[in-house]
Amino acid sequence: MKLHEKTTKSNAMLHVTLTCTLVIAIVIFLFAKGYVADKLTFNIVRYMSQRKILLLYLGIINLVTFILFGIDKYAAIKGKWRIPVATLLGFSFAGGAIGGIIAMYLFHHKTQKNYFAVGLPMMIVTQIVVLFYCMNAPW
């Protein structure tokens, strides 16, 4: 597979898996190299209350992802133009995985597709790992 290969339905799960694995591996590498605060914290409420822009971003990206899944479900029912898989996965990966998974099960849309049924939970885990690292980064 070429690195610049376009995400298609046939290789979407591979792209999701490789990207999530790479991100988690980078975070593990940073922890192993000591690029972490002296004392680890798990207080996400305090962290997010101090970063209102991040909280706003996550709220907006999850809402947009939720709406995109809803629009795609509506388009699927009506037989109209669909939102590309790469767009749905991209918004999910950019922080909207929770909105995507809620929409997926609320609208019963894409639940049979592995790149969503497995990929979105994998993205949520990746996003939690990245958030935990950011909470404990030395900056």
Side-chain angles (χ1 to χ4, degrees), residues 35-54:
Y35 297 112
V36 65
D38 294 332
K39 186 176 178 186
L40 295 181
T41 182
F42 296 92
N43 192 344
I44 191 166
V45 174
R46 190 177 112 233
Y47 180 79
M48 293 305 277
S49 68
Q50 295 171 345
R51 288 155 183 84
K52 297 203 185 322
I53 292 177
L54 176 60

Side-chain angles (χ1 to χ4, degrees), residues 18-37 40 93 122-139:
L18 288 176
T19 305
C20 289
T21 303
L22 177 64
V23 170
I24 291 173
I26 289 170
V27 170
I28 290 170
F29 173 78
L30 291 170
F31 264 106
K33 284 294 197 177
Y35 297 112
V36 65
L40 295 181
F93 188 78
M122 192 182 311
M123 287 181 200
I124 290 172
V125 169
T126 302
Q127 290 165 4
I128 290 169
V129 167
V130 169
L131 182 61
F132 176 72
Y133 178 75
C134 290
M135 287 172 50
N136 293 287
W139 56 73

Side-chain angles (χ1 to χ4, degrees), residues 9-116:
K9 290 180 182 179
S10 63
N11 67 11
M13 190 63 211
L14 179 63
H15 281 240
V16 169
T17 304
L18 288 176
T19 305
C20 289
T21 303
L22 177 64
V23 170
I24 291 173
I26 289 170
V27 170
I28 290 170
F29 173 78
L30 291 170
F31 264 106
K33 284 294 197 177
Y35 297 112
V36 65
D38 294 332
K39 186 176 178 186
L40 295 181
T41 182
F42 296 92
N43 192 344
I44 191 166
V45 174
R46 190 177 112 233
Y47 180 79
M48 293 305 277
S49 68
Q50 295 171 345
R51 288 155 183 84
K52 297 203 185 322
I53 292 177
L54 176 60
L55 189 59
L56 181 66
Y57 169 78
L58 290 174
I60 290 171
I61 193 75
N62 278 286
L63 180 64
V64 168
T65 306
F66 181 87
I67 291 168
L68 287 174
F69 271 77
I71 290 169
D72 192 53
K73 174 65 176 189
Y74 179 79
I77 292 169
K78 297 294 183 182
K80 297 187 177 209
W81 179 85
R82 304 284 300 280
I83 296 174
V85 168
T87 301
L88 295 174
L89 290 173
F91 274 87
S92 296
F93 188 78
I98 292 173
I101 206 162
I102 291 170
M104 187 173 76
Y105 287 106
L106 183 67
F107 302 137
H108 303 288
H109 187 53
K110 303 285 190 187
T111 57
Q112 301 299 312
K113 307 295 183 190
N114 279 342
Y115 39 90
F116 287 102

